[in-house]
Each structure stands twice: as structure tokens, then as C-alpha cells.
Amino acid sequence: MISSSTKSLLIIGMLLIVAVVLLSIQFHPTVITLVTGTQDKTSSSDVVFKVADTYAGFSEDIGKGPLSLMRQKGKLDNLANINLDQLSEQELLMTMHSNVDNTNVMCRRKIRLGQIDDGGWEVCDDPDVRPREPCTIYSFGINNDFSFDDDAANVYGCHVYSFDPSMSKEKDQYDRSPNVHFYKLGLDGRTYVNDKKWPLFTFKDIRAKLKHQNLTIDVVKMDIEDSEWSTLPQMAASGQLADVKQFLFEYHINEQSRDYILPKLKALQEVERAGFRRFYVHKNPACKVNVNGIPVIRTTCYEVYYLRR
């Protein structure tokens, strides 16, 4: 039999637990789902934290002051759910510089591979998206800096395929190391040879060339100097992003007109419709720009990091 005093202590303890949980929900409204076992095949004890879309149903206090216009016009919602055609030129511009500058999924552990400054890239090392041997990484845009590729091969043991058609002094194809393989070709929205005599391929055709059609690509890193805008729609439309785990690339935003911004946002929209969410953003300080209606310095070069869970 449990004494009345013991029962009272148990009830008080339960009430305290409920109070702590309620306070936690009040001050930490982000929804966190715990996933165990199935996400990490190597260890059933690992716990993976997944965060629901941060801005789902988000209601912002616009407030006053210089940032109120950006808060009002810049959409933070998942782009997949926005009718972009209905947005004004100002809303499109504000959304471009608001949405890509914010994250909407959590990565608990990021690892920078390669240079600590330009040339290095972050990889999410969470158990459910971490590259594991045998693993494959595509690196588009080398510019004679293999630091990311070398680190990725050394740290994760992945086979890294490095692509850059502009590196004229390199052989057309060679193995830099047992795990780093260079190809002097580039990525575009169609397969052809451009006026610089560079062989350019679609993402689908590159995978076919390497016989990787049925292979999971753990990380795609892409810094291809404005060609991302012709490449992204084809990558999404072809379904070739369906088995990519992490997608890291730099956007270049060189104009502010509606005709320029709208197709760019639609390209990013297709990336999010493919299931990707932003876990990190870095603004390249070499591309500073003043944007109409935004009272602080922006950049025309956003390095945006996506993962899919």
C-alpha cells in the first residue's frame, strides 16, 4: 500500500513535470521530432533531431522602423507554397533577399570542408544525412582549388567527382587521388559545347556518363558562376534531385527587376518542391550590394546549403 504522503509527493512531482513541459513549449515554440533507429542504420541508439518548417503558419510582427517594409514584403514561408506570379516586383525582390538569407531546417552539426575562407563549404554531419562509405560527392566549379574535394574524400572516404571546364591546363580526365576524380566538363541546363569550346552537360547526362543513374549522391556542391539559373530547372524537372541528400550552391543575383527575379525564385521554388530545406546560409562579402527598400547591405552571392530528410 502507498501511504497518503507518498501519493501526495507523486502528484506534486507529476504537476511539476507538466509545468516544466508547458513552460518549455511556451518559450521554445519550434517543433522538434525525435527520430530513432531507422534513420541511422549503423546505430539504433543515435537520436536525430528534425525541425518542422520553421515558418509554417508564421505570423510576423511587422513593427516600425527601417526594417518594417522588408518584414511586410519579404516572404519567409516555404517557397513551394507561394504563388510567386501574384507577387509585386517589390515583394519578389524582398522575398529573394529574405527567403534565401534564412534557414528553415536544423542541422545540429556542420563541418566545414576545405578552405576556412572562400573555397570551403559546410556539410551537415547529422546522422541521417551524413555521408557514409560507400558514398559519392559531386563538386561542380573547382577553379583550381581542390580543398573541399580533398577534405571530403579524406574525412568521409567518399569518391568525389570534380568538374570544371575552365581549367585549361588540366587533362580532360584524371584521378587526383584514389578517391578524387577530375573531369574537364561543366554543368548546364542542356548538353552542348559553348563558344569557349567547353563541353557542358545536364546533370542527368553527367550521371549517365558516369553510370551513376541509380546511385545515391550524398552531396552536390555547385559554384558555377550564374549558370545555376539555367541548370536548376532542368535538375528539378528531370527528377535527378530525388536521390541527392545535400545540395550546396551559390546563387548569383545580379539585377533587381521583376523579369529577372521571378524566374530565379521559381527555380529555387522547384528545389524546395523537391523536398530540400535550408540548413545554413553564408553571404559572400565580395559581392556587396544595396537593395532598394532594404536599409542594410546585402550580397549578390548567397551560398545556400540544403538538405533533405
Side-chain angles (χ1 to χ4, degrees), residues 141-289:
I142 309 303
N143 194 25
N144 299 295
D145 182 355
F146 286 91
S147 60
F148 169 82
D149 309 57
D150 292 341
D151 273 359
N154 292 333
V155 169
Y156 289 113
C158 297
H159 280 275
V160 181
Y161 296 84
S162 311
F163 306 92
D164 196 321
S166 71
M167 294 168 58
S168 58
K169 295 182 180 180
E170 301 290 341
K171 299 177 183 177
D172 288 347
Q173 178 183 339
Y174 70 94
D175 292 335
R176 174 178 170 83
S177 70
N179 279 38
V180 179
H181 318 286
F182 177 79
Y183 292 81
K184 193 162 62 177
L185 54 86
L187 185 64
D188 207 320
R190 60 191 178 99
T191 296
Y192 71 111
V193 177
N194 70 5
D195 55 5
K196 296 180 180 179
K197 307 301 182 184
W198 294 352
L200 304 176
F201 290 77
T202 65
F203 188 61
K204 181 178 181 179
D205 286 348
I206 286 177
R207 294 187 67 174
K209 179 180 178 66
L210 299 180
K211 296 181 171 56
H212 289 172
Q213 297 98 319
N214 300 315
L215 194 67
T216 294
I217 311 298
D218 293 85
V219 179
V220 173
K221 183 228 82 180
M222 191 169 78
D223 185 2
I224 54 177
E225 304 305 326
D226 214 41
S227 292
E228 66 273 10
W229 299 122
S230 61
T231 300
L232 287 172
Q234 191 280 330
M235 293 177 80
S238 66
Q240 294 295 306
L241 292 176
D243 49 11
V244 174
K245 290 184 178 180
Q246 298 190 46
F247 196 12
L248 330 172
F249 55 103
E250 185 173 67
Y251 303 150
H252 301 83
I253 309 169
N254 300 317
E255 298 180 26
Q256 300 186 22
S257 68
R258 177 186 178 84
D259 288 343
Y260 179 86
I261 294 293
L262 180 57
K264 308 301 188 282
L265 273 176
K266 286 187 174 182
L268 303 184
Q269 185 179 58
E270 291 307 311
V271 173
E272 298 211 354
R273 283 178 173 167
F276 288 97
R277 299 293 179 264
R278 301 177 305 277
F279 71 87
Y280 181 65
V281 179
H282 175 255
K283 292 183 285 295
N284 191 327
C287 310
K288 297 176 184 177
V289 67

Side-chain angles (χ1 to χ4, degrees), residues 79-91:
L79 285 177
N81 302 323
I82 298 176
N83 187 338
L84 296 172
D85 289 308
Q86 292 184 346
L87 300 186
S88 67
E89 179 173 281
Q90 188 177 55
E91 287 174 322

